[in-house]
Amino acid sequence: MAQNATGGSESFLRIERLTKRFGSFTALDGVDLEIRPREFVCFLGPSGCGKTTLLRAIAGLDAQSEGRIWQAGREISSLPPSERDFGIVFQSYALFPNLSVRDNVGYGLRSRGQGRAAIDARVDELLELVGLPGSGSKYPSQLSGGQQQRVALARALATSPGLLLLDEPLSALDARVRARLRHEVRGLQRRLGITTIMVTHDQEEALTMADRIVVMNHGTIEQVGTPQEVYGRPATPFVADFVGTMNFLDGHVAGPGRVALGGLALACDTGTIAQGQAWTACPCAASRRACRTRSRSRSPISSSSARSCARRSSPPAAARACSATSPPTSSATRASRPARA
């Protein structure tokens, strides 16, 4: 069952039952979400899961078919993009090739009628902030990909928006530049305290940058949680498989409190699932709950520190069961645990 809600008592951005259809195709299906002030949230999921559609709906670039959106206590559901309080950075940078770096960064300020002196001061401040002092006279074609993305970020921040939207901003960069910019973007967000949403399909990117991760699939939210929660305690089999590496074995419920996996019988909390029902177990080596084998077999399915979460699936004759060996550092558990930035 997909999880469609999260949040706390205080929210900067609130999304309620948001649905977006393109003809007969439903790209977003009743999404509920709350984002807190100054939070860095990543929308994570495979291609076509609806993460960019959700970002564009927040920006007003694609109007939702149903649902409502509030930002800072104001409903913005039907407002055009020009009347919403956000800055956005696209994957393709979207810089004006015929304008200098200075004019690109100051474009939004000029559109708001600010004076030249105020614009110049703000542009100099932002170029210093993103690590490009003295680059104002250059043109986009004279910059590297990483430098162009810094210019795009400075332009998005120029008007001091309340919300920063990042649509896969690092995906077009090479691996080394991408890794460096992750830390730079996260550090900049912390310094400015700006509420930020970033779309990504890169699990490591989300795990290292986000305060919370919104895992999406087929237009719905599968799980919302901190990187530690999403990685260590996946709410659904999809999350367990998409975020990290799992071992999958066929099995079924053999009886109350027992799961059969081949010739092994495991003592697990089966809840109300009936005998013969399919079983999907998502273990977490960090948990103290155990799924213990009743055999002395040396199979890596034995576990003294694995957490299993029962999920129904079909057909009932077989199930996909995840298993992890007991120590967190074992090679049979997730391959790696990326550190938070």
Side-chain angles (χ1 to χ4, degrees), residues 101-236:
V101 167
R102 176 173 296 279
D103 289 338
N104 265 284
V105 175
Y107 185 84
L109 299 174
R110 287 197 307 278
S111 300
R112 295 191 174 192
Q114 293 196 17
R116 188 68 193 183
I119 292 174
D120 286 344
R122 179 62 173 162
V123 169
D124 288 339
E125 176 189 359
L126 288 166
L127 290 179
E128 182 73 33
L129 194 65
V130 299
L132 292 175
S135 300
S137 61
K138 294 182 179 179
Y139 285 82
S141 60
Q142 298 173 297
L143 304 177
S144 67
Q147 289 173 327
Q148 289 185 57
Q149 197 60 292
R150 288 184 176 93
V151 173
L153 181 58
R155 182 178 62 184
L157 295 170
T159 58
S160 301
L163 178 65
L164 179 62
L165 304 176
L166 307 175
D167 187 9
E168 302 204 48
L170 309 180
S171 60
L173 305 174
D174 65 67
R176 182 172 296 182
V177 174
R178 188 164 63 244
R180 184 171 67 248
L181 279 182
R182 284 176 193 161
H183 297 287
E184 292 183 12
V185 171
R186 185 62 170 115
L188 186 60
Q189 186 269 340
R190 283 173 172 158
R191 285 176 59 188
L192 298 176
I194 184 173
T195 305
T196 301
I197 300 172
M198 185 174 79
V199 166
T200 182
H201 61 266
D202 187 313
Q203 294 91 334
E204 183 178 351
E205 199 165 275
L207 290 167
T208 56
M209 296 181 71
D211 293 316
R212 285 192 302 156
I213 298 173
V214 178
V215 184
M216 299 186 65
N217 188 33
H218 297 307
T220 64
I221 294 177
E222 293 274 340
Q223 184 173 359
V224 181
T226 66
Q228 292 87 349
E229 290 168 346
V230 169
Y231 187 90
R233 296 186 294 280
T236 68

Side-chain angles (χ1 to χ4, degrees), residues 1-5 44-46 213-218 220-225 229-248 279-284 307-313 320-323 334:
M1 183 71 67
Q3 175 183 322
N4 262 13
L44 174 67
I213 298 173
V214 178
V215 184
M216 299 186 65
N217 188 33
H218 297 307
T220 64
I221 294 177
E222 293 274 340
Q223 184 173 359
V224 181
E229 290 168 346
V230 169
Y231 187 90
R233 296 186 294 280
T236 68
F238 171 80
V239 176
D241 189 39
F242 187 73
V243 184
T245 302
M246 302 294 287
N247 297 323
F248 291 91
W279 175 270
T280 302
C282 304
C284 168
R307 175 180 181 269
S308 63
C309 311
R311 295 287 184 271
R312 294 181 184 270
S313 60
R320 304 294 293 172
C322 325
S323 71
R334 295 189 189 272

